[in-house]
Amino acid sequence: MAKNKLSARGVIALEAGKHCDGAGLWLVKADPNSGKWVLRLTVFGKRREMGLGRWPDVGLAEARETADAARRELREGRDPIREGQKRRVEAQRNLHLFRDIARDAFEARKSELRGGGKAGRWFSPLELHVIPKLGHVPVAEITQIDLRDCLAPIWHEKAETARKALTRTSICLEHAAALGIDVDLQAPRKARALLGKPRKATTNIPSLAWSEVPEFYKSLDEGTVTHLALKLLILTGVGGPGEFKIGYAGDTFNTAWYLAKILPNTEVAYFTTVGDDKLSRETRAFIDRTGIDTSHICEIPDGTVGLYMIHLSNGERSFSYWRNSSAARRLADDPDALDRAIEKADLIYYSGITLGILGPQSRENLLGALQKGRDVGKTVAFDTNIRPKLWSSTEEMKRSIMRAAELSDIVLPSFDDESAWFNDDCPTATLERYARHGVERIVVKNGEHSVVYQDGNIRGEVPAKPETSAIDTTAAGDSFNAGVLLSVLEKSDFRAGISLGCQLASYVIQAKGALVPVDALRVTA
């Protein structure tokens, strides 16, 4: 069968019509300036036509190469048309299109949704308003401009639906990041800034009649932070007096709070991420009232704060946590925000809980920022505060704790945690393990027993202040750390700072709550 009848120059001069190049390859011209390449084949006994692209976008040489490849597939017993379709599907899959990521994210979250998400309420804002416009776009290419243009038509008219669509999109981008795709996690937040505040007023849902509260309470069965918070509000409102008390606390914040109280002439700032809901606003307002600088606190749309409950038994506390939806899990998503906060600090303090709540990439962002800060003379202090439930594995937890310690100037471990997870047989073994990893200053807390410490080449013990009337030990370690950090900031005697920490902890555990007023305590270091 004759082949290669046409020439590149001759193709240009051809008029409208069908022109054969041989061996089944045809150029079909709709007019002198445009056309398409078609390969005629007999596939498994049936006459088929396979499109090879539009002319002049696809030239004669490229059309011949594609036709030769299709003929080879046919000789090998494969259907070249189906094989081409498979290649196109695979190419799209490799692009990680938004529609595919969105469906994958939905599948991953189904177990968290009422009825496994069968009602479709979670996915419908994406399906109706985002996927039709951005579904074909590779998720790595989606920008705040794309999201703004996508949601602008409904931003004011259907404000709540648009808000949900943007929130779900943010979750999809987080899912893509977890898959290792380089996406802009800040795009939804920036899109929200571009769209502005919705003009349409939100219509409040009418209040619930008290007689309907029991049935409504039973319906709060998803286990999400929202449902748990609603349960807590119902119990607080209709339960017995004093049954619950809502407060604002957290390990690193507690230390910042105590440090601000005992060192009032030093600026103490707090860095975290909160949502834009009422609970987040109240949390931020509370921090503002304490005098702690909140200018570095970031806000993400539709986020919220973590929820936990403290259970007391003979002064000892245990905790129940709901952190999965906490905005703080994204506190290190933005490396630039981290760098700005660290740039203004002399001392940076964080904990094992800080590390544990972060995803792998955010954890890398945080540790990288701390290393850069330390390289320019910042002091880094780290309380190991081991919480195994926050980690995917014991090995990951131990590896991350030790890596963080190596990036820190001061490490403040608790012996009970260290002995349980690193098998240290005494506080000195804990101290020596961190010293072997290059930590200069180490303070090992040990409950009512003596504190062992290392300050460069000096090692020693500081007697604790046993207190038989312990009421609540929630913030014992956090307040202790504040005393130690005071000596670091004031460049005073390190041992005296440890003694002050013991004094603070002994005072704090004699009252309920994580934040105990210490104005009456005479602080000496």
Side-chain angles (χ1 to χ4, degrees):
M1 184 181 295
K3 292 176 60 177
N4 303 338
K5 296 179 181 180
L6 303 176
S7 67
R9 183 173 296 179
V11 163
I12 298 173
L14 293 173
E15 296 297 323
K18 298 180 180 180
H19 308 281
C20 182
D21 186 50
L25 178 60
W26 290 76
L27 174 60
V28 181
K29 277 193 151 188
D31 57 62
N33 299 314
S34 64
K36 63 181 179 180
W37 294 102
V38 174
L39 180 62
R40 292 177 178 173
L41 300 164
T42 301
V43 181
F44 305 142
K46 291 184 179 181
R47 183 74 173 269
R48 304 282 297 279
E49 287 190 353
M50 178 178 178
L52 303 184
R54 303 195 67 81
W55 179 85
D57 297 335
V58 176
L60 177 61
E62 185 180 349
R64 285 171 176 170
E65 289 176 7
T66 306
D68 287 340
R71 295 185 190 106
R72 281 195 299 273
E73 288 176 336
L74 190 60
R75 289 195 299 271
E76 293 168 0
R78 292 180 289 157
D79 181 346
I81 297 175
R82 181 170 294 179
E83 293 297 321
Q85 292 171 341
K86 288 180 181 178
R87 285 191 291 271
R88 286 191 292 274
V89 170
E90 184 63 26
Q92 286 188 337
R93 185 178 296 115
N94 291 337
L95 286 174
H96 299 291
L97 302 183
F98 179 78
R99 62 171 177 254
D100 300 324
I101 293 294
R103 292 190 179 99
D104 196 41
F106 176 50
E107 290 296 325
R109 292 180 66 87
K110 273 187 174 180
S111 62
E112 304 173 21
L113 305 175
R114 178 189 285 272
K118 291 180 181 177
R121 288 191 297 271
W122 192 92
F123 196 67
S124 62
L126 293 172
E127 193 169 36
L128 294 174
H129 302 290
V130 183
I131 290 176
K133 296 179 180 178
L134 299 179
H136 64 287
V137 179
V139 69
E141 296 179 9
I142 289 178
T143 68
Q144 64 270 27
I145 304 299
D146 296 322
L147 295 177
R148 179 200 64 184
D149 294 346
C150 174
L151 295 176
I154 64 168
W155 188 249
H156 299 292
E157 295 303 316
K158 299 180 179 179
E160 183 62 16
T161 300
R163 181 191 67 80
K164 289 179 180 178
L166 191 60
T167 302
R168 308 305 198 255
T169 301
S170 179
I171 291 169
C172 293
L173 293 179
E174 290 177 11
H175 186 79
L179 291 171
I181 304 169
D182 185 16
V183 296
D184 184 1
L185 290 172
Q186 301 302 315
R189 179 180 61 81
K190 291 182 280 191
R192 188 185 186 94
L194 293 173
L195 288 161
K197 187 175 181 180
R199 288 191 296 268
K200 188 173 181 179
T202 301
T203 303
N204 293 325
I205 298 173
S207 59
L208 190 68
W210 69 267
S211 58
E212 298 175 16
V213 170
E215 195 61 34
F216 177 67
Y217 185 89
K218 289 180 183 178
S219 72
L220 302 174
D221 57 0
E222 290 185 7
T224 61
V225 168
T226 301
H227 278 202
L228 291 166
L230 279 170
K231 282 187 172 183
L232 180 61
L233 288 171
I234 291 169
L235 290 171
T236 304
V238 302
E243 189 170 352
F244 289 95
K245 181 181 179 182
I246 298 177
Y248 307 93
D251 68 328
T252 52
F253 174 72
N254 297 345
T255 297
W257 189 87
Y258 283 108
L259 192 58
K261 294 298 181 185
I262 63 176
L263 202 58
N265 295 324
T266 297
E267 183 179 351
V268 178
Y270 196 62
F271 178 82
T272 188
T273 301
V274 297
D276 59 356
D277 63 327
K278 186 174 185 291
L279 198 55
S280 294
R281 292 194 298 272
E282 290 176 351
T283 301
R284 190 166 187 167
F286 172 80
I287 299 174
D288 275 326
R289 290 196 298 272
T290 68
I292 294 173
D293 180 8
T294 62
S295 62
H296 296 293
I297 293 180
C298 302
E299 181 182 295
I300 60 171
D302 307 308
T304 188
V305 293
L307 176 69
Y308 72 95
M309 296 181 69
I310 302 174
H311 314 277
L312 289 174
S313 177
N314 299 321
E316 290 299 320
R317 84 282 191 227
S318 59
F319 297 87
S320 297
Y321 295 100
W322 296 272
R323 288 193 179 106
N324 287 342
S325 300
S326 171
R329 295 174 70 90
R330 297 176 57 182
L331 67 86
D333 281 3
D334 185 351
D336 292 336
L338 272 173
D339 290 342
R340 287 193 298 271
I342 288 175
E343 182 183 3
K344 296 182 179 297
D346 296 311
L347 181 145
I348 303 104
Y349 169 74
Y350 70 115
S351 76
I353 292 177
T354 313
L355 291 178
I357 64 174
L358 301 178
Q361 184 57 57
S362 292
R363 194 178 303 136
E364 287 299 318
N365 291 347
L366 175 60
L367 294 176
L370 292 172
Q371 180 65 69
K372 286 194 291 185
R374 200 170 177 224
D375 288 345
V376 296
K378 311 294 184 181
T379 300
V380 178
F382 175 53
D383 183 339
T384 59
N385 220 345
I386 297 173
R387 297 291 183 270
K389 291 182 179 179
L390 295 177
W391 300 87
S392 60
S393 70
T394 301
E395 291 71 23
E396 181 191 38
M397 176 185 74
K398 293 167 67 173
R399 184 172 59 251
S400 298
I401 291 290
M402 295 311 299
R403 183 181 170 202
E406 291 170 354
L407 296 176
S408 302
D409 301 284
I410 306 159
V411 174
L412 301 150
S414 296
F415 176 64
D416 54 350
D417 289 340
E418 306 292 324
S419 62
W421 298 103
F422 288 93
N423 299 318
D424 297 334
D425 57 8
C426 64
T428 301
T430 299
L431 184 147
E432 290 177 345
R433 174 165 48 82
Y434 285 106
R436 287 195 298 273
H437 283 262
V439 184
E440 288 288 318
R441 287 178 150 182
I442 308 157
V443 182
V444 185
K445 296 163 283 188
N446 192 18
E448 70 273 17
H449 303 292
S450 295
V451 177
V452 298
Y453 73 93
Q454 174 177 301
D455 183 11
N457 295 323
I458 300 172
R459 289 188 179 181
E461 290 189 19
V462 175
K465 297 180 181 293
E467 183 54 61
T468 56
S469 59
I471 295 173
D472 185 350
T473 60
T474 298
D478 303 330
S479 57
F480 172 89
N481 291 346
V484 176
L485 297 181
L486 179 145
S487 69
V488 175
L489 287 167
E490 292 198 325
K491 297 181 171 58
S492 58
D493 181 64
F494 194 59
R495 181 185 175 92
I498 297 170
S499 294
L500 172 59
C502 293
Q503 181 185 3
L504 275 168
S506 177
Y507 182 86
V508 165
I509 64 175
Q510 296 178 63
K512 284 187 177 181
L515 307 178
V516 177
V518 292
D519 300 336
L521 177 64
R522 184 176 180 181
V523 174
T524 57

